[in-house]
């Protein structure tokens, strides 16, 4: 008898009988009947004493799959994460088993080869097939169908005619192994201590967390590559987590310049076949370095020896649906369970990580200066109260002048505005009507390139109508405020000869086109980049020397307890794109509040001042990491139902000293996709067992029924 965990949103295990002749132990991947379906599952425990009343209703395990069992370390991680985040264990397990449709050894793929004469009846489709295989090599049948757009029956027909033969395609080769000594760089003085620390960390091999804290352009990647090289030499696997797959393009090339081959990728854009193959290579230990998005943390590595979390401060590490987990924090947990080192890299560490480094819980490895003697950018504020742009424009005369000079000098410039689309609001000049989403509490954003008004929360979109739907006035609609598309219009008027490019996540059709666009910029074929936060992160654009932040105040003062930290990180990162390879980078902050502590710290390049004041503030107010938070988001199809449930939930909360329960309050985003939302915020002392408290409370509280939904978010990052 065994208890198995099924990768669906359930917390408990199911008992199954082990058929005669099958030996099963915890971690084995099996197929089991569940209801009318056959599902994948993992043996979680042996069960010698099942409930006798269940006994004759138990079903048999149907098969044991030929894949390596999930190791105890991974099973503990899954239990730990589920327990901490209050997510069903099956939902966490699902991330470990996400390997495409078929599991187990790769299916045999069929290929065809040209062996005979063309048939008498030669249709255009048949001709295309014959042309495509005229090299006499073996071609995958499904590849041909996709590449030349013929149906499978055309190929089958040619096989029947004796023109082609069918053969099994050889199994994919294991990925080539990175070579730790392929191209060892020379390190400069300021990097040497860091390099030593990275090697020592990997050599010792045990659990330890290091903060690799280096200014933008200091060579953090080169330095942590040494920890990977050492881990490779020791024959163990390394995982590099990246916040966004948009970052991986340049990274893959850089990795292969250092190690001779590309690492294995893991993210949502992989085709099912690649996903399946990569999963198998990771589980078999054939993949020695994996670069992936947050979910790569839950893969069944055969022998993981090192985890790197690049840009550890990035918000994208927090998953906000399904299991609400923070991949950076859970990476530290995995490191602890597996007894391996973890490196957190950032130029602007999260306040949590900075506090851990200051307290000595994490080892600080500092890279204080830029590679190649490059200076940090010089940063100035442009006070919009004194130097405003012309009416209806967003770039002040001084910034426009600086950009013009930079472009004339052959440098690249970047205008940064963290707002997609053309304008965040459209209104009618005649009656004041504002275009809002019908099912969300949000304005519709004007997207001129796509010619739609779009809701950024649910994706609803409509064409911009010719007349106002409210008062029928003609030509009365005006766009209010700027987005990147509008900035491009302004830039075209200001710098008519410049080659400009807008980079924004909504304009990206595929990961390939994005990588191509980033390469175009890196190779200097663009003079002016106009971008959202997509450009802020990690990229290396050698000719970029000037960054103009159009609205530096945008992220401040929205009620988010992390507003100052986010603004500091984002603006540092984006200005840090400037002056990385030649000349002195310059950053301009257009702001209405140049005296704000974040602006002052940015201008003075005073990292310590920012962290010290922010840490003091958190300590005074008991915000993380000096206290703990959890959010409960209650939603329903109508407002009274959501609010009523939220109130009853609060009333049923166990009163405990040191637990502060705030709310219910209407969420800042009060309606999303027609669902009314209320929030509760729980605030406790640092060492309080918040997960346990929540579990106890919710087990005894009224359950959300019908249309009601309750989401629990431990350590929330978003307060919307
Ligand atoms: P960071 O991630 O700290 O912003 P990078 O790792 O991107 O910095 O390094 C900045 C640039 O300097 C990159 O182009 C990198 O290849 C180069 N670089 C850093 N260290 C070295 C080194 N020791 N030898 C050669 N190039 C280096
Ligand atoms: Zn909407």
């Amino acid at each position: 008898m065994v208890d198995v965990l099924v990768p669906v949103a359930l917390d408990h295990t199911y008992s199954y009988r082990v058929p005669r002749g099958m030996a099963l132990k915890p971690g084995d991947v099996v197929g089991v009947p569940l209801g009318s379906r056959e599902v994948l599952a993992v043996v979680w425990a042996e069960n010698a004493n099942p409930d006798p009343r269940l006994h004759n209703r138990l079903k048999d395990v149907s098969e044991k799959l030929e894949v390596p069992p999930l190791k105890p370390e991974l099973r503990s991680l899954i239990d730990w994460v589920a327990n901490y985040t209050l997510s069903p264990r099956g939902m966490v397990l699902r991330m470990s088993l996400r390997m495409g449709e078929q599991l187990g050894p790769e299916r045999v793929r069929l290929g065809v080869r040209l062996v005979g004469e063309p048939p008498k009846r030669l249709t255009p489709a048949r001709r295309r097939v014959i042309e495509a295989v005229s090299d006499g090599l073996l071609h995958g049948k499904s590849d041909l169908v996709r590449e030349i757009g013929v149906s499978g029956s055309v190929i089958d027909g040619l096989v029947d005619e004796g023109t082609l033969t069918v053969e099994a395609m050889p199994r994919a080769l294991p990925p080539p192994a990175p070579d730790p000594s392929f191209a060892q760089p020379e390190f400069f003085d300021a990097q040497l201590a860091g390099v030593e620390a990275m090697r020592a960390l990997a050599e010792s091999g045990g659990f330890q967390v290091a903060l690799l804290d280096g200014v933008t352009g200091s060579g953090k990647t080169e330095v942590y590559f040494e920890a990977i090289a050492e881990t490779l030499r020791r024959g163990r696997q390394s995982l590099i987590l990246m916040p966004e797959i948009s970052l991986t393009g340049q990274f893959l090339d850089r990795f292969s310049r250092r190690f001779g081959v590309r690492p294995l990728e893991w993210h949502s854009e992989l085709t099912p076949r690649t996903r399946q193959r990569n999963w198998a290579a990771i589980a078999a230990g054939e993949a020695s370095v994996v670069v992936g998005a947050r979910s790569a943390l839950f893969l069944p590595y055969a022998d993981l020896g090192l985890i790197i979390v690049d840009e550890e401060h990035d918000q994208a590490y927090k998953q906000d649906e399904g299991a609400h987990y923070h991949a950076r924090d859970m990476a530290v947990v995995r490191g602890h369970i597996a007894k391996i080192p973890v490196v957190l890299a950032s130029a602007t560490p999260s306040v949590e990580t900075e506090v851990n480094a200051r307290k000595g819980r994490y080892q600080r490895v500092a890279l204080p200066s830029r590679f190649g003697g490059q200076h940090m950018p010089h940063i100035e504020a442009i006070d919009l109260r004194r130097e405003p742009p012309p009416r209806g424009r967003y770039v002040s005369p001084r910034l426009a002048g600086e950009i013009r000079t930079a472009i004339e000098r052959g440098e690249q410039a970047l205008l940064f505005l963290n707002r997609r689309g053309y304008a965040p609001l459209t209104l009618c000049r005649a009656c004041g009507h504002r275009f809002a989403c019908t099912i969300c509490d949000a304005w519709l954003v004007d997207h001129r390139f796509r010619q739609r008004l779009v809701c950024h929360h649910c994706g609803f979109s409509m064409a911009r109508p010719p007349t106002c739907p409210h008062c029928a006035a003609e030509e009365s609609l005006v766009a209010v405020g700027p987005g990147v598309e509008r900035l491009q219009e302004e830039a075209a008027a200001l710098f008519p000869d410049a080659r400009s490019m807008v980079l924004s996540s909504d304009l990206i059709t595929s990961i390939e086109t994005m990588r191509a666009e980033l390469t175009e910029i890196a190779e200097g074929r663009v003079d002016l980049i106009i971008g959202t936060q997509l450009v802020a992160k990690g990229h290396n654009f050698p000719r970029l020397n000037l960054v103009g932040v159009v609205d530096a105040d945008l992220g401040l003062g929205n009620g988010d307890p992390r507003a100052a930290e986010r603004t500091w990180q984002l603006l540092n990162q984006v200005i840090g794109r400037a002056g990385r390879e030649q000349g002195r980078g310059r950053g301009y902050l257009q702001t209405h509040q140049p005296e704000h502590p974040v602006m002052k710290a940015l201008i003075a390049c005073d990292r310590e001042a920012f962290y010290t004041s922010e840490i003091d503030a958190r300590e005074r107010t008991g915000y993380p990491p000096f206290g703990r938070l959890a959010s409960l988001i209650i939603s329903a199809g109508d407002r009274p139902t959501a609010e009523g449930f939220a109130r009853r939930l609060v009333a049923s909360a166990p009163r405990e000293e040191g637990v502060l329960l705030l709310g219910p309050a209407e969420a800042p985003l009060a309606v999303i996709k027609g669902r009314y939302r209320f929030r509760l915020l729980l605030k406790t002392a640092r060492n309080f067992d918040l997960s346990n408290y929540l579990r106890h409370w919710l087990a005894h509280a009224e359950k959300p029924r019908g249309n009601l939904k309750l989401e629990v978010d431990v350590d929330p990052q978003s307060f919307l």
Side-chain angles (χ1 to χ4, degrees):
M1 218 66 60
V2 286
D3 291 340
V4 306
L5 190 61
V6 184
V8 299
L10 287 172
D11 196 49
H12 55 91
T13 53
Y14 289 101
S15 299
Y16 283 86
R17 242 181 351 226
V18 183
R20 197 177 298 277
M22 192 188 283
L24 289 179
K25 49 184 184 346
D28 282 339
V29 184
V30 293
V32 294
L34 186 73
S36 58
R37 290 180 309 146
E38 187 63 29
V39 298
L40 210 65
V42 176
V43 177
W44 223 245
E46 274 150 331
N47 184 349
N49 306 305
D51 185 342
R53 282 165 306 175
L54 271 177
H55 205 270
N56 52 19
R57 282 190 280 132
L58 286 182
K59 292 186 179 163
D60 278 3
V61 171
S62 19
E63 60 170 331
K64 176 182 171 189
L65 284 112
E66 292 299 316
V67 294
L70 264 52
K71 294 173 46 167
E73 117 194 5
L74 179 54
R75 284 181 281 132
S76 306
L77 177 73
I78 291 168
D79 284 337
W80 201 98
V81 172
N83 179 58
Y84 186 82
T85 60
L86 278 87
S87 310
R89 282 187 297 173
M91 195 190 265
V92 182
L93 172 68
R94 196 158 69 189
M95 296 190 279
S96 305
L97 292 184
R98 231 179 242 162
M99 74 292 266
E101 291 307 302
Q102 306 82 14
L103 183 64
E106 253 182 88
R107 276 174 315 152
V108 178
R109 294 179 53 222
L110 297 180
V112 290
R113 193 193 296 277
L114 183 66
V115 287
E117 291 301 311
K120 296 216 175 55
R121 212 173 58 80
L122 202 54
T123 60
R126 286 181 161 188
R127 199 190 308 269
R128 288 214 303 282
V129 175
I130 293 173
E131 259 163 36
V133 301
S134 60
D135 54 11
L137 302 176
L138 190 60
H139 293 260
K141 191 176 153 189
S142 49
D143 297 339
L144 280 177
V145 167
R146 203 180 47 246
E147 281 160 21
I148 58 179
V150 296
S151 74
S153 60
V154 175
I155 298 174
D156 294 341
L158 286 169
V159 173
D160 292 343
E161 298 273 0
T163 309
L164 306 178
T165 57
V166 181
E167 292 170 35
M169 299 283 288
R171 193 176 155 350
L173 294 174
D179 172 2
S181 311
F182 182 78
Q184 172 88 57
E186 298 264 339
F187 290 102
F188 72 106
D189 287 351
Q191 290 175 322
L192 286 176
V195 168
E196 271 320 303
M198 286 294 114
R199 287 183 188 148
L201 192 74
E203 241 165 62
S204 81
F207 172 65
Q208 196 185 341
V209 185
L211 165 61
L212 181 57
D213 169 11
V215 296
T216 50
S218 58
K220 289 185 289 297
T221 315
E222 255 70 28
V223 171
Y224 73 60
F225 276 171
E226 291 312 296
I228 293 174
E230 191 56 41
T231 307
L232 280 168
R233 290 193 181 100
R234 296 161 56 87
R236 306 191 73 185
Q237 293 170 296
S238 302
L239 164 64
I240 308 162
L241 288 178
M242 300 245 157
E244 270 175 48
I245 47 172
S246 67
L247 284 180
T248 55
Q250 275 192 338
F251 181 85
L252 297 175
D253 293 337
R254 214 158 141 188
F255 186 92
S256 76
R257 282 198 295 276
R258 170 67 181 85
F259 294 105
V261 296
R262 289 182 155 208
L264 218 72
E265 288 180 75
W266 187 266
H267 50 69
S268 55
E269 303 283 310
L270 298 180
T271 63
R273 193 192 302 156
T274 310
R275 175 176 286 264
Q276 183 188 2
R277 188 178 298 158
N278 289 2
W279 189 92
I282 289 164
E286 292 168 350
S288 37
V289 182
V290 177
V291 54
R294 60 188 178 220
S295 63
L297 183 64
F298 294 94
L299 291 172
Y301 298 89
D303 183 21
L304 188 59
L306 172 71
I307 306 175
I308 312 263
V309 184
D310 205 347
E311 310 287 352
E312 68 88 32
H313 61 276
D314 203 292
Q315 242 178 313
Y317 281 121
K318 181 68 191 272
Q319 170 152 306
D320 274 330
E321 50 197 48
H324 292 241
Y325 69 94
H326 198 300
R328 180 236 304 143
D329 297 346
M330 297 309 123
V332 173
V333 171
R334 184 160 191 166
H336 184 77
I337 294 174
K339 303 192 180 63
I340 56 172
V342 179
V343 176
L344 310 179
S346 177
T348 51
S350 61
V351 171
E352 281 86 345
T353 298
E354 174 69 19
V355 169
N356 280 327
R358 287 188 178 193
K359 298 227 153 118
R361 288 190 284 262
Y362 294 174
Q363 178 195 359
R364 189 192 296 275
V365 179
L367 301 175
S369 55
R370 280 192 158 178
F371 170 70
Q374 284 302 113
H375 286 287
M376 291 303 288
H378 171 79
I379 304 178
E380 277 175 40
I382 295 179
D383 186 341
L384 290 173
R385 294 166 306 187
R386 284 194 271 147
E387 300 179 70
R391 250 185 87 80
R393 302 281 182 140
Y394 303 94
V395 180
S396 67
R398 176 143 65 102
L399 180 54
E402 295 292 347
I403 293 174
R404 191 168 296 116
T405 317
I407 294 177
E408 279 164 11
R409 272 206 300 253
E411 298 173 350
Q412 241 168 12
L414 163 65
L415 269 177
F416 175 75
L417 177 64
N418 205 9
R419 258 203 194 135
R420 292 177 281 143
Y422 184 86
L425 172 66
T426 302
L427 61 73
C428 169
R429 211 183 302 123
C431 73
H433 173 71
R434 297 167 169 222
F435 284 79
C437 180
T438 49
I439 55 172
C440 301
D441 176 25
W443 305 128
L444 293 179
V445 178
D446 183 353
H447 282 254
R448 290 278 160 100
F449 292 0
R450 281 151 64 194
Q451 301 201 317
R452 311 284 293 175
L453 301 179
V454 183
C455 171
H456 279 186
H457 299 289
C458 71
F460 165 83
S461 76
M462 60 183 274
R464 192 176 204 259
T467 57
C468 173
H470 197 68
C471 72
E474 279 173 37
E475 290 182 19
S476 66
L477 304 185
V478 283
V480 183
V484 278
E485 293 177 11
R486 191 172 204 170
L487 270 184
Q488 192 187 32
E489 207 173 84
E490 184 170 341
L494 283 169
F495 324 108
D497 299 327
R499 297 165 297 176
S500 70
M501 181 189 277
V502 178
L503 268 188
S504 173
S505 57
D506 59 299
L507 301 174
I508 284 170
T509 48
S510 73
I511 185 161
E512 281 77 29
T513 57
M514 171 167 55
R515 285 180 181 172
E517 289 189 340
L518 291 170
T519 307
E520 221 173 296
I521 298 175
E523 289 174 355
R525 280 177 274 144
V526 172
D527 303 312
L528 178 62
I529 311 152
I530 300 162
T532 62
Q533 62 171 350
L534 191 68
V535 293
K537 299 175 178 176
H539 307 292
N540 206 15
F541 301 135
R543 277 185 48 217
L544 177 62
N545 271 5
L546 184 147
V547 173
V549 177
V550 174
D551 185 353
D553 311 330
L554 194 59
L556 292 171
N558 55 4
D560 180 339
R562 289 194 172 83
E565 178 186 353
R566 297 266 176 259
T567 302
W568 158 260
Q569 287 162 341
L570 185 62
L571 298 185
N572 241 307
Q573 296 284 337
V574 67
I575 293 173
R577 299 304 110 214
R580 287 162 71 92
E581 294 204 358
Q582 51 218 291
R584 177 95 195 250
R586 291 175 317 284
Y588 295 91
L589 302 169
Q590 295 198 143
T591 171
H592 285 96
Q593 33 187 340
E595 69 294 335
H596 190 287
V598 171
M599 301 303 155
K600 278 166 69 183
L602 280 164
I603 292 160
C605 270
D606 195 344
R607 177 191 189 287
E608 294 310 304
F610 168 75
Y611 283 104
T612 300
S613 81
E614 186 63 18
I615 289 170
D616 280 353
R618 300 269 180 105
E619 195 159 16
R620 261 197 329 275
T621 52
Y623 271 96
F626 301 98
R628 301 200 53 205
L629 298 177
S631 297
L632 279 73
I633 302 129
I634 294 110
S635 66
D638 65 281
R639 197 172 185 281
T641 306
E643 186 170 15
F645 181 77
R647 293 206 177 283
R648 294 194 298 279
L649 206 55
V650 171
S652 69
R655 305 289 159 210
E656 241 179 81
E657 207 177 321
V659 180
L660 190 63
L661 185 53
L662 305 163
E666 189 162 67
L669 264 168
V671 193
I672 299 183
K673 296 186 196 173
R675 298 187 64 84
Y676 290 76
R677 305 168 75 241
F678 279 80
R679 296 183 67 103
L680 308 178
L681 188 66
L682 216 60
K683 196 161 168 249
T684 74
R686 189 179 107 79
N687 47 17
F688 183 78
D689 190 343
L690 194 48
S691 302
N692 201 28
Y693 173 87
L694 282 165
R695 200 178 346 274
H696 182 76
W697 171 17
L698 298 178
H700 294 90
E702 178 187 334
K703 305 285 173 292
R705 264 180 251 282
N707 196 0
L708 270 164
K709 197 170 151 206
L710 168 65
E711 272 176 86
V712 180
D713 187 358
V714 177
D715 304 338
Q717 296 285 311
S718 161
F719 294 84
L720 293 179

